[in-house]
Amino acid sequence: MRTFKVVRHVDVTGLSGTGTVAEGCEFSDGSVVMRWLDIDHDSENYKRGVRPTVVIHEGIDSVIALHGHNGFTEVVFD
């Protein structure tokens, strides 16, 4: 299993901010668990009441397809 971070360089939707917005784990069978991080309420990135949530994906390709925004967000393995 390997861990990763979801790093957003440009917030296309205006919802999650920039920087590390999620952390995750890819299991040996390819499935992925990802946890969205809370936005710092004191920063200019705080747009809404984003709360930490956990999402399960079939694989890392699903994460990139849904959240990659044509390269503005990337998955960075630890």
Side-chain angles (χ1 to χ4, degrees), residues 3 16 22 31-32 39-41 46 48 50 53-54 56 70 75:
T3 58
S16 61
S31 60
V32 169
I39 292 177
D40 180 359
H41 294 244
Y46 185 69
R48 65 180 175 94
V50 175
T53 56
V54 175
I56 300 171
N70 296 315
V75 171

Side-chain angles (χ1 to χ4, degrees), residues 38-73:
D38 195 5
I39 292 177
D40 180 359
H41 294 244
D42 295 326
S43 79
E44 64 184 53
N45 288 329
Y46 185 69
K47 305 287 189 212
R48 65 180 175 94
V50 175
R51 298 290 180 246
T53 56
V54 175
V55 182
I56 300 171
H57 290 272
E58 290 183 9
I60 202 69
D61 290 341
S62 172
V63 174
I64 294 167
L66 288 170
H67 305 295
H69 300 289
N70 296 315
F72 290 125
T73 301

